[in-house]
Amino acid sequence: MADQPTQRGRVRPAPENFLTETDILAVKEGRRDFLRNALLTASATLAGGTAARAADGDPNILTLPAWTTSLGQPVAARPYGLPSQYEKGLQRRESPGLTRMPQVSVSFAPLQGLFGIITPSGLHFERHHQGWVDIDPSKHRLMVHGTDDGFLKQPKVYTVDDILRLPPVSRMHFIECGANTGMEWGNVAVPTVQYSHGMLSCSEFTGVPLRLILEDCGIDWKKAKYVLAEGADGSSMTRTIPIELVQSDEVLVAYGQNGEMLRPENGYPLRLVVPGVQGVSWVKWLRRIEVGDKPWATKDEAIHYIDLMPDGQHRQYTSVQECKSVITTPSGGQILLDKGFYNISGLAWSGRGKIKRVDVSTDGGINWRPARIEGPVNSKCLTRFNIDWVWDGKPAILQSRAMDETGYVQPGYGQLRAVRGSKSIYHNNAIQSWKVTEGGEVSNVQVL
Amino acid sequence: MSRFSKASLSGALVLAFATLAGGTALADGKYSGVGRPATRAEIHAWDIDVRPDFKGLRPGSGSVDQGQEVWEAKCASCHGSFGESNEVHTPLIGGTTKDDIKTGHVLSLVKGDAPQRSAIMKVATVSTLFDYINRAMPLTAPKSLSNDEVYGLVAYLLNLAEIVPADFVLNEKNIAEAQARMPNRNGMSTDHGMWPGAPASKGGIGNGGKPDVKNTACMSNCKTEVKVASLLPVYAETAHGNLAEQNRAVGPVRGKDTSGKAVTVAAAPAPLSENAAAAKLANDSGCMACHGVANKIVGPGYNEVVAKYKGQADAEAKLVAKVKAGGQGVWGAIPMPPQGHLKDGDIRSLVKWILSGAKAQ
């Protein structure tokens, strides 16, 4: 890392990742000059006796760096490109202790460092029920049939060749696990937005509307009420999908993700895309569609993905991801470098359509300001919002509150718990709060 | 890889001709030439789902005793002998009473006093147990159970929960009797607004999308005080590693250092030691799901392996072969599945690491 710049672009340097607990305590004790002094000392030491250069300007400008004075790398040095070596901090990660086995687990997307609305495919969150598989597409088949003979004129088998021959559509949609933010139902449990909201990703998916495939099999739309989707992995996971969503043309048999084929972790070569619905219904490694007239109460509809209510009943077939938002920066586990201007940025989404508005509060929900909504605003898709904020160095609590096109407003924790209690595990769409201390430290809190 | 490899092309043609010869014409609709009819045998091979009304359930039978035998051999290592589970998974059985079997509501869910929820406390439909065991269990060898074995396993679980007596033989006809005694059979509600299809009033599910929680978009003076109900517990801050390393090193913010150590400069991570690399490999390859370093989980602990092979000159070669091809019998009835997906070099590194004491560093 010898050629890594040790200073920022300003002559007055900003901190690197070297605040210790003691340093933070010092800041908390009111030593507002602490950061600056500590950094000046550190950078002066690093610069190795070039402290005097500060008078002339930034050595990163005055002394040309190696990359400006040498020949760079050849084309195709890395036939499949990779992020910069300096971006290694942003990776998908497991939450320690959350699950029992890494094959039956979750990894979270690093929302704290992502821009815009598209999740890079390599950072897409993962949820596998029995490990992920990398399927030979020449041996993969999609079978479409009915529970009885009457549902389809002709049950059919499609190869991946067949599916790729059919007329495709490309659409951007979010996918969120029904258990996203599930660890936070009772109290604050995780430090950063990666773990609190990272079972959320958004891609451009390319595929064939399932409606078209079912029509190719001669479906009887009057008789069909539900379809069952099944995966080809060991779990052969199954979920019931309402026929009305299929008829709306929204449900896709997808093979493309962000311009390339799906990644194996995301269901290569075929997965179901069920916009607005929790991720478990987006069956990966899709091998079978069954058309029927009753729901199936599969394991992930009858033992898991059921929401326990305060009266002891479990809600079954809860599928829609209701309107939700979160500020991704500044967010938990981060430190603001200084007083002054910040862009508060975050994501909003709704399983019921488009995002209409996002409001942001910096005082814990007493007063709100409408944020700027960045385009494109797509239905059942992540929407980026931004808002200017000048931090005066005083404690603050940052919140975002989204509204979708149906007029539904994202609820607070008090409102959500009053109806659903705190043991539901699934479908926590409460307003997220991030507390900012005088030291600039941001942490996860819950505000009623 | 060629899309038109000889083998797959000739295979496809044989199938297509066979189907045509069988008298079914290829559909020649709008998407002519795309897809082909599914054969009865193909549908039978994949259509294994069982609905709550037992549509799809194939005839067969299994007794509680037969189920127990399969359970001990293939399930107990992860789920415990009595479904109470062990360190690997959460309990399947427990938390239900004779009274629950009468009412069909698990009372501890209503009272909210259960320390955790077992599968039998939650599940309302016995078909779900059959379907899931049949399609996905055991975890390392899904779809290896016979139809009768699945009947037996369901009978054994139902007996553990005191739903059926010890001499019960479950079959496709009497499974409805078991359903009528499921302790949480009346514990499900679909009266909510989160089903994206037709509502119950039109033959579907739910209330048609009416939300249960309401908020308003108040803009100013929305409350008089801010009540912080919960803060991040201290242990949770450090439980997720060093947050400084989980954020970008440029931009308006940095990640907080939660390593507990002073870090003066973002240094390149030190290369992993040989032991650490092997430990990571074992973890990434799924070995640690079944083997503990110093304890038995499903398979033997690595300490037990070391003890058994101590002093044997060919221990390394033997174990490499075993990891590669799988094995059964040395440590009991539960087989070690073949690990053919691992590279030979990696298997050798893992075996060497295990025999040297499986040290973390």
Side-chain angles (χ1 to χ4, degrees), chain A residues 1 8 15 17-21 24 46 87 89-90 93 95-96 100-101 103 112-113 115 130 141 143 145 147-149 154-158 161-162 165-167 187-192 195 212 226 228 230 234-236 238 242 244 287-288 290 293-294 296-297 299 302-303 306 308 312-320 333-337 342 352 357 359 363-368 370 401 403 408-411 415 419-420 423 425 427 441 444-448, chain B residues 1 3 24 27 31-38 40 42-43 46-47 49-53 55 87-90 105 109-110 112 117 119 122-123 125 128-129 132 135-136 138-139 142-143 184 186-190 192-198 203-205 209 211-223 226-233 236-237 239-240 243-258 261-266 268 286 289:
Chain A
M1 304 276 272
R8 306 275 73 78
N17 297 326
F18 63 87
L19 288 184
T20 65
E21 298 287 334
I24 289 157
L46 286 168
E87 291 294 315
L90 299 168
R93 293 185 165 86
S95 181
R100 311 291 177 106
M101 285 179 76
Q103 289 88 351
Q112 68 275 22
F115 309 116
Q130 215 147 331
R141 301 289 181 270
M143 184 188 291
H145 69 93
T147 298
D148 290 313
D149 284 345
Q154 178 62 70
K156 287 183 80 169
V157 170
Y158 299 88
D161 293 340
D162 287 328
R165 271 173 82 178
L166 291 168
N187 48 269
V188 173
V190 293
T192 74
Y195 306 107
L212 184 157
Y226 304 93
L228 182 77
E230 179 184 83
S235 78
S236 296
T238 40
E244 293 81 9
R287 75 164 188 175
R288 191 169 71 95
E290 178 174 337
D293 56 359
K294 284 183 181 164
W296 277 264
K299 185 260 287 175
I303 298 176
I306 52 176
L308 180 60
Q313 294 290 100
H314 284 92
R315 282 185 180 168
Q316 195 174 24
Y317 302 113
T318 46
S319 301
V320 170
Q334 296 182 335
I335 293 174
L336 306 183
L337 297 186
Y342 283 88
R352 293 207 177 94
R357 196 170 114 192
D359 301 318
D363 62 9
I366 297 171
N367 298 295
W368 299 80
R401 180 185 67 195
M403 184 197 289
Y408 173 93
V409 180
Q410 183 185 6
Q415 292 162 325
V419 178
R420 300 189 193 164
K423 293 180 178 172
I425 297 182
H427 303 110
E441 211 184 300
N444 187 0
V445 296
Q446 287 181 359
V447 172
L448 294 183
Chain B
M1 187 182 57
R3 277 176 67 208
T24 318
Y31 305 111
S32 154
V34 178
R36 60 158 179 87
R40 289 274 169 200
E42 287 172 336
I43 295 173
W46 278 10
D47 179 13
D49 55 78
V50 181
R51 270 188 347 198
D53 59 1
K55 181 103 187 160
E87 63 203 87
V88 183
H89 290 287
T90 44
H105 285 278
L109 293 175
V110 179
R117 279 179 284 167
K122 293 189 278 181
V123 68
T125 36
T128 307
L129 298 179
Y132 180 62
R135 73 174 55 247
L139 196 76
K143 300 173 194 68
N184 204 39
N186 299 320
M188 295 288 166
S189 162
T190 52
H192 57 73
M194 292 162 81
W195 177 249
I205 291 171
D212 57 342
V213 184
K214 287 191 180 61
N215 192 6
T216 51
C218 168
M219 295 305 281
S220 55
N221 300 314
C222 301
K223 51 189 171 187
V226 176
K227 204 172 144 203
V228 175
S230 175
L231 298 161
L232 184 69
E237 184 166 57
H240 287 76
L243 303 179
E245 291 165 359
Q246 299 177 22
N247 278 274
R248 192 167 279 117
V250 292
V253 296
R254 294 292 182 276
K256 184 184 170 187
D257 190 307
T258 52
K261 288 177 281 191
V263 183
T264 46
V265 163

Side-chain angles (χ1 to χ4, degrees), chain B residues 87-110:
Chain B
E87 63 203 87
V88 183
H89 290 287
T90 44
L92 298 180
I93 303 296
T96 59
T97 65
K98 286 199 171 118
D99 218 44
D100 297 341
I101 291 173
K102 275 186 215 149
T103 62
H105 285 278
V106 172
L107 188 64
S108 66
L109 293 175
V110 179

Side-chain angles (χ1 to χ4, degrees), chain B residues 272-281 353 359-361:
Chain B
L272 290 176
S273 71
E274 217 168 286
N275 278 333
K280 185 176 184 305
L281 184 61
W353 171 71
K359 294 184 185 77
Q361 290 302 324

